[in-house]
């Protein structure tokens, strides 16, 4: 653990007056959980904070205490002396405000992605951390800020979801140790699990059905590909956030080394040039480094879970994805 970096970050936070805290677009449990945890902790020590995420809060995370504090638009960026960027491999991951945010005098980059570009004036990157929330927890603890039930619920939710319910390869000892402490501080494992995984809309279950039907396997049986078009989303009355977690079904097939999920983005419908925007998610069984593929398309992530965005046609993309199987 990098104590000196931690001390520098704490010094900056203690000396700050007005802190912008942001995490990545299309927020997942770690992005929203880390954001709320550090935001609520800084509020406790009477810091002026602005919690920001460009995307709407996914329905499954709206139960998190303090979620109403999260803003989706920044009106006046000049007022912030400090920015804390969470779970973002590069600053552009926060969305349209990235360029303006890069001008905030103190820019603290807290992340666990292997592909982090090292942006910011003060960095805390720990790729061994199971989640960004693990690093946030260490910072809050070192600052001696008491962990309220709200903070505990955020951190527990972040770790639960970022480790794929303690199944993904980033599941480490700290994941369990911290979650145990969060339960001591008031986090309720059953209530959290029910909110995150146990209250799906019927549309989401129907989406699962169509997503499973879309699975194709490469000739060498090492790669699986799942495709979710806007048509499928519309037909099931779901939203992009409902796609979260579906790739795990493509990944858990015996013999599969790399699973790929192609997701047609919402803004594709407005396009007139015949091309569409896609997000591609990549997962590996732990023997293949999928960041190599993601980086080659301008994306990033972790060894076993990465992603990238691409503008192309669906047919071309499917051919590109199936081509990945030739290297595994
Ligand atoms: P997913 O593709 O499932 O959304 O994300 C898998 C992992 O890759 C996450 O840790 C996510 O933060 C990262 N990731 C996904 N897309 C991108 C991207 O376009 N750029 C970067 N730097 N990381 C990404
Ligand atoms: Mn994360």
């Amino acid at each position: 653990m990098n104590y000196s970096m931690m001390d520098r970050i704490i010094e900056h936070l203690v000396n700050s007056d007005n802190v912008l805290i942001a995490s990545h677009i299309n927020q997942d449990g770690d992005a929203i959980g880390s954001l709320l945890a550090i935001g609520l902790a800084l509020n406790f020590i009477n810091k002026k904070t602005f919690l920001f995420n460009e995307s709407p809060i996914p329905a499954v995370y709206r139960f998190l205490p303090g979620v109403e504090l999260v803003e989706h638009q920044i009106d006046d960026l000049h007022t912030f002396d400090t920015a804390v960027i969470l779970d973002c491999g590069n600053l552009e991951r926060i969305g349209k405000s990235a360029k303006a945010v890069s001008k905030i005098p103190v820019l603290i980059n807290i992340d666990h992605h292997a592909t982090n570009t090292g942006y910011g004036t003060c960095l805390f990157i720990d790729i061994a951390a199971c989640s960004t929330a693990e690093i946030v927890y260490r910072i809050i603890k070192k600052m001696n800020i008491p962990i309220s039930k709200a903070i505990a619920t955020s951190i527990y939710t972040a770790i639960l979801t970022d480790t794929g319910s303690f199944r993904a390869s980033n599941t480490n000892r700290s994941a369990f140790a911290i979650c145990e402490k969060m339960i001591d501080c008031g986090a309720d494992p059953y209530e959290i699990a029910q909110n995150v995984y146990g209250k799906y809309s019927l549309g989401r279950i129907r989406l699962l059905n169509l997503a499973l039907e879309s699975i194709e396997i490469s000739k060498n049986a090492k790669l699986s590909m799942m495709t979710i078009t806007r048509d499928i989303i519309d037909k099931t009355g779901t939203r992009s956030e409902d796609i979260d977690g579906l790739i795990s079904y493509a990944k858990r097939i015996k013999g599969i080394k790399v699973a790929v999920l192609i997701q047609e983005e919402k803004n594709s419908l407005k396009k007139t040039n015949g091309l569409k925007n896609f997000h591609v998610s990549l997962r590996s069984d732990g023997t293949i480094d999928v960041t190599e593929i993601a980086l080659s398309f301008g994306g990033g992530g972790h060894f076993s879970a990465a992603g990238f965005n691409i503008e192309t046609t669906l047919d071309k993309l499917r051919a590109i994805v199936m081509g990945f199987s030739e290297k595994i």
Side-chain angles (χ1 to χ4, degrees):
M1 189 157 45
N2 191 335
Y3 283 102
S4 60
M5 200 44 96
M6 164 105 88
D7 291 339
R8 251 189 84 204
I9 287 177
I10 292 173
E11 204 179 306
H12 277 305
L13 292 176
V14 169
N15 293 330
S16 67
D17 285 321
N18 196 357
V19 193
L20 170 79
I21 313 170
S23 56
H24 63 79
I25 51 165
N26 298 325
Q27 52 198 311
D28 54 20
D30 195 21
I32 180 73
S34 300
L35 179 67
L36 289 173
I38 194 95
L40 294 171
L42 292 180
N43 286 350
F44 183 83
I45 55 165
N46 297 316
K47 293 290 163 191
K48 192 167 171 212
T49 58
F50 187 90
L51 278 59
F52 171 74
N53 191 289
E54 192 178 286
S55 310
I57 313 275
V60 296
Y61 299 122
R62 279 190 215 135
F63 78 100
L64 287 171
V67 89
E68 68 286 350
L69 300 172
V70 181
E71 304 278 353
H72 306 285
Q73 197 179 316
I74 314 174
D75 291 329
D76 191 4
L77 271 154
H78 302 291
T79 56
F80 301 108
D81 52 65
T82 306
V84 178
I85 312 297
L86 301 155
D87 206 37
C88 293
N90 55 63
L91 189 56
E92 290 64 41
R93 296 271 293 149
I94 67 166
K96 294 185 210 83
S97 325
K99 202 158 174 223
V101 169
S102 71
K103 302 200 173 87
I104 295 176
V106 176
L107 196 67
I108 301 172
N109 167 0
I110 300 175
D111 188 29
H112 70 134
H113 287 98
T115 56
N116 194 289
T117 55
Y119 61 90
T121 54
C122 195
L123 289 71
F124 198 148
I125 317 296
D126 183 355
I127 65 167
C130 69
S131 56
T132 296
E134 176 180 336
I135 308 172
V136 165
Y137 164 76
R138 289 192 225 143
I139 294 171
I140 295 173
K141 195 167 167 250
K142 188 90 193 283
M143 290 177 85
N144 286 318
I145 298 173
I147 305 222
S148 61
K149 179 175 176 172
I151 293 176
T153 302
S154 293
I155 292 176
Y156 184 99
T157 301
I159 294 178
L160 173 72
T161 54
D162 231 38
T163 59
S165 304
F166 308 104
R167 285 175 299 179
S169 57
N170 57 336
T171 309
N172 57 11
R173 198 184 173 283
S174 327
F176 292 102
I178 298 171
C179 283
E180 183 184 16
K181 287 190 189 117
M182 295 307 98
I183 294 168
D184 289 343
C185 296
D188 182 335
Y190 181 62
E191 190 197 326
I192 294 170
Q194 275 298 96
N195 277 294
V196 177
Y197 302 119
K199 294 181 181 177
Y200 287 179
S201 63
L202 179 58
R204 189 165 179 161
I205 300 300
R206 298 226 155 100
L207 172 68
L208 167 64
N209 185 29
L210 296 179
L212 295 177
E213 267 182 22
S214 81
I215 293 177
E216 289 168 56
I217 307 292
S218 66
K219 280 202 190 89
N220 65 5
K222 291 180 179 170
L223 179 140
S224 59
M225 178 174 78
M226 186 183 255
T227 307
I228 302 182
T229 57
R230 282 328 290 181
D231 188 43
I232 290 181
I233 294 284
D234 293 343
K235 223 168 17 198
T236 52
T238 50
R239 281 175 293 208
S240 304
E241 66 189 58
D242 295 313
I243 295 171
D244 197 30
L246 291 178
I247 193 172
S248 69
Y249 290 94
K251 192 195 152 205
R252 63 176 77 168
I253 302 165
K254 196 172 175 191
I256 291 298
K257 292 194 165 294
V258 174
V260 184
L261 167 71
I262 296 175
Q263 174 180 343
E264 186 185 335
E265 305 258 31
K266 200 174 180 178
N267 57 6
S268 281
L269 300 172
K270 290 192 227 127
K271 295 187 101 71
T272 50
N273 60 1
L275 303 177
K276 289 178 168 179
N277 288 106
F278 298 94
H279 179 74
V280 179
S281 294
L282 305 158
R283 299 287 183 274
S284 89
D285 66 350
T287 61
I288 310 274
D289 181 3
V290 285
T291 59
E292 278 181 28
I293 301 175
L295 284 169
S296 71
F297 288 92
H302 310 283
F303 188 93
S304 306
F308 64 89
N309 297 312
I310 186 169
E311 188 190 59
T312 181
T313 65
L314 183 56
D315 285 345
K316 276 193 190 141
L317 181 55
R318 286 154 63 87
I320 291 170
V321 166
M322 276 301 170
F324 298 156
S325 68
E326 285 155 24
K327 292 190 200 121
I328 48 179

